Amino acid sequence: MAPDVQLEKEQRMGFFQTILVALVFLPLLMVASHNFLQNFTAAVPRHWCYIPVGDNATTEVTGDLLKIYVPMDGNQEPDRCLRFSTPQWQLLAPNGTSTNATEPCLDGWAYDRSVFNSTIITEWNLVCGQRALKDFAQSMYMVGVLLGAPVLGGLADRLGRRALLLWSLLQMGVMGTSAAFAPNLAAYCAFRFFSGMSTAGFILNGTTLEWIPSQFRAMVSTILACSLTLGQLLLAGLAYAIRDWRQLQLASSVPFFLFFLYSWWIPESAHWLIINHRPEKALRNLQRVAQINGEKLKMKQEEESSGPSRRSALDLFRTAPMRGVTCCLMLAWFSNSFSFFHLALDLQRFEGISIFLVQLIFGAVDVPFRMVVAVVANRLGRRLTQAACLVLGGLFILASVPVPQDMEVLLITLTVLGKGLFSSSASCSYLYTTELYPTVIR
């Protein structure tokens, strides 16, 4: 018989659990900043063809003279991607007309810097024919999140939650800081990719809730979800104060070095240690937690489980009930993420409203939605709450489709309600993920 150690848990939140939630809460604030950072670091300002004055490449044509070189659109704004092949001097006359002979911006672009001093768009001219590269940069971050989940999640099962938590925080700090000094777009995308991987690693290992009593997990999950929401508010403030993309990237990344240092205090999961046949270490961690909580540790000896301690992603599909749970959760997560990030990463479509205000509204609305769903999920059940949030969120977004762009108040109201419901649905998905899977494969 091999000894196993179990803690007869006091069914309350102790001082240790409170500190643990606070320590995880702070990095999640900055994780939200990285998720939505490109709303500001990759914001597209007004731009038009750069027209040098004579042979002086450092001086550009501005003001009323610009219409001689650049055609105007229906709003009397300079065209973003074309210029006249030859100067149209006749446009200086009151009723002057121009020819239709145009060409691409051969000398680059000029940018309106009244909102942002610089972004990756102005740095590397990601406009017109290169416009898709902006979305590619955000996609690389999301690919990192996608790959980071199985890679770092699998390593956490082998090496422990604490080791991968520390590694993810360090990687986020290093890669995020490196992105602030990226010399070109390729390097920037690479650093953002690895930042995305560390984001997934931290969320998976920082929010496993294995030290939290089961009846408090819904509450703690809601609190941690609210930290992601508050992080959006923090990002709005940071972006408003810091208008240079490199400085904003740096300000969002450096705190992770502090998070890395203080996270050494967090002990390894006792569940993971027991499952991996390290009961002595689990006992020491349990004694430490009991001491911090001012409790007396109670133990009992049990037969060591004969089941396998190593699990893989195949266990999610090994039995019919588990396949059903996994497929339903995958569809729910896909619906949440696809809809939520589509709305949250396209703030510039509300052209008549300050992008900082839109970010503030989008962040603030999630707080009441997430708090309400925590209460509703306990009263009506997870399944009904999850389904209602997804259906109602979809209906609000469908209702916003025919709304014209000039009805901005109605458009942003419908969008905000839809986004709030999708964030509520995500909270339900977090609960389901922690409650429906056994500890050994969670």
Side-chain angles (χ1 to χ4, degrees):
M1 286 200 315
D4 193 8
V5 181
Q6 291 186 346
L7 177 65
E8 294 182 0
K9 296 178 181 176
E10 299 289 340
Q11 297 302 307
R12 67 183 184 85
M13 285 284 289
F15 184 58
F16 167 81
Q17 283 80 11
T18 303
I19 295 176
L20 180 63
V21 171
L23 295 183
V24 174
F25 185 94
L26 293 176
L28 281 175
L29 286 174
M30 303 309 298
V31 164
S33 295
H34 276 265
N35 283 342
F36 306 111
L37 195 59
Q38 280 201 200
N39 277 336
F40 303 98
T41 60
V44 182
R46 287 195 317 118
H47 54 276
W48 54 89
C49 292
Y50 179 84
I51 308 295
V53 176
D55 296 328
N56 188 351
T58 62
T59 305
E60 63 175 302
V61 174
T62 58
D64 291 338
L65 287 178
L66 189 62
K67 66 182 181 182
I68 300 171
Y69 299 92
V70 178
M72 299 291 157
D73 62 18
N75 297 321
Q76 293 303 301
E77 294 287 342
D79 190 279
R80 296 187 170 198
C81 300
L82 297 173
R83 69 180 189 182
F84 290 120
S85 301
T86 57
Q88 305 295 299
W89 297 103
Q90 67 273 18
L91 290 177
L92 293 177
N95 297 318
T97 58
S98 65
T99 65
N100 293 322
T102 57
E103 62 185 7
C105 300
L106 302 178
D107 296 304
W109 288 264
Y111 297 94
D112 178 3
R113 300 182 187 272
S114 61
V115 178
F116 297 100
N117 295 334
S118 71
T119 67
I120 66 169
I121 305 300
T122 63
E123 181 103 4
W124 296 308
N125 289 325
L126 306 183
V127 294
C128 299
Q130 304 295 315
R131 186 176 180 179
L133 293 178
K134 172 201 170 182
D135 296 326
F136 176 77
Q138 180 65 35
S139 296
M140 288 301 296
Y141 176 82
M142 289 302 183
V143 169
V145 174
L146 177 65
L147 295 181
V151 172
L152 298 182
L155 287 175
D157 289 336
R158 294 180 175 275
L159 304 178
R161 311 282 190 254
R162 180 174 180 270
L164 268 295
L165 174 68
L166 290 169
W167 175 259
S168 297
L169 289 171
L170 180 61
Q171 181 174 319
M172 178 68 83
V174 172
M175 293 296 110
T177 301
S178 299
F181 296 97
N184 51 54
L185 180 64
Y188 173 81
C189 290
F191 292 135
R192 287 286 287 168
F193 169 81
F194 287 109
S195 293
M197 287 191 69
S198 56
T199 295
F202 172 73
I203 290 177
L204 286 173
N205 294 293
T207 61
T208 52
L209 307 182
E210 291 177 349
W211 283 110
I212 307 299
S214 58
Q215 76 272 28
F216 291 102
R217 287 179 181 172
M219 178 190 71
V220 171
S221 178
T222 301
I223 291 173
L224 295 180
C226 284
S227 71
L228 292 170
T229 296
L230 294 175
Q232 297 178 57
L233 304 180
L234 177 62
L235 175 61
L238 279 175
Y240 184 81
I242 305 172
R243 305 297 180 95
D244 179 271
W245 81 267
R246 291 185 184 273
Q247 294 177 16
L248 180 58
Q249 177 76 42
L250 194 63
S252 301
S253 303
V254 169
F256 282 95
F257 292 108
L258 174 62
F259 303 146
F260 166 74
L261 292 176
Y262 77 53
S263 292
W264 283 86
W265 178 85
I266 300 176
E268 180 58 85
S269 164
H271 291 282
W272 182 86
L273 291 169
I274 292 171
I275 291 170
N276 285 273
H277 314 297
R278 297 172 62 184
E280 295 81 6
K281 178 65 174 176
L283 176 59
R284 289 197 296 272
N285 285 355
L286 291 169
Q287 289 172 333
R288 177 188 171 193
V289 171
Q291 183 181 19
I292 293 172
N293 286 341
E295 300 170 352
K296 184 175 291 186
L297 184 65
K298 301 176 182 180
M299 299 172 293
K300 59 182 180 180
Q301 298 283 336
E302 286 191 351
E303 291 274 355
E304 185 178 17
S305 173
S306 59
S309 61
R310 296 295 183 194
R311 299 284 179 164
S312 70
L314 294 178
D315 290 298
L316 298 173
F317 304 93
R318 199 173 300 280
T319 65
M322 191 62 69
R323 281 195 296 273
V325 168
T326 300
C327 290
C328 287
L329 278 178
M330 288 176 68
L331 287 172
W333 272 114
F334 176 83
S335 301
N336 291 334
S337 301
F338 182 84
S339 303
F340 180 87
F341 283 104
H342 166 72
L343 299 174
L345 290 172
D346 190 21
L347 303 188
Q348 285 193 293
R349 70 183 182 276
F350 303 106
E351 295 181 359
I353 306 176
S354 166
I355 189 173
F356 307 105
L357 180 59
V358 175
Q359 179 69 64
L360 197 65
I361 295 171
F362 270 37
V365 72
D366 285 357
V367 176
F369 272 95
R370 289 185 186 273
M371 296 182 71
V372 168
V373 80
V375 177
V376 173
N378 285 331
R379 292 183 177 273
L380 301 182
R382 312 314 195 217
R383 181 168 56 182
L384 179 59
T385 305
Q386 174 99 76
C389 289
L390 285 171
V391 171
L392 290 175
L395 290 176
F396 276 118
I397 299 307
L398 285 175
S400 71
V401 172
V403 177
Q405 282 293 123
D406 57 349
M407 299 180 65
E408 290 174 341
V409 174
L410 177 59
L411 182 61
I412 197 170
T413 299
L414 293 172
T415 305
V416 161
L417 291 174
K419 178 180 176 289
L421 286 163
F422 289 132
S423 68
S424 299
S425 177
S427 295
C428 290
S429 296
Y430 274 114
L431 290 177
Y432 260 141
T433 303
T434 57
E435 294 175 348
L436 293 184
Y437 290 117
T439 299
V440 292
I441 64 172
R442 183 157 51 218

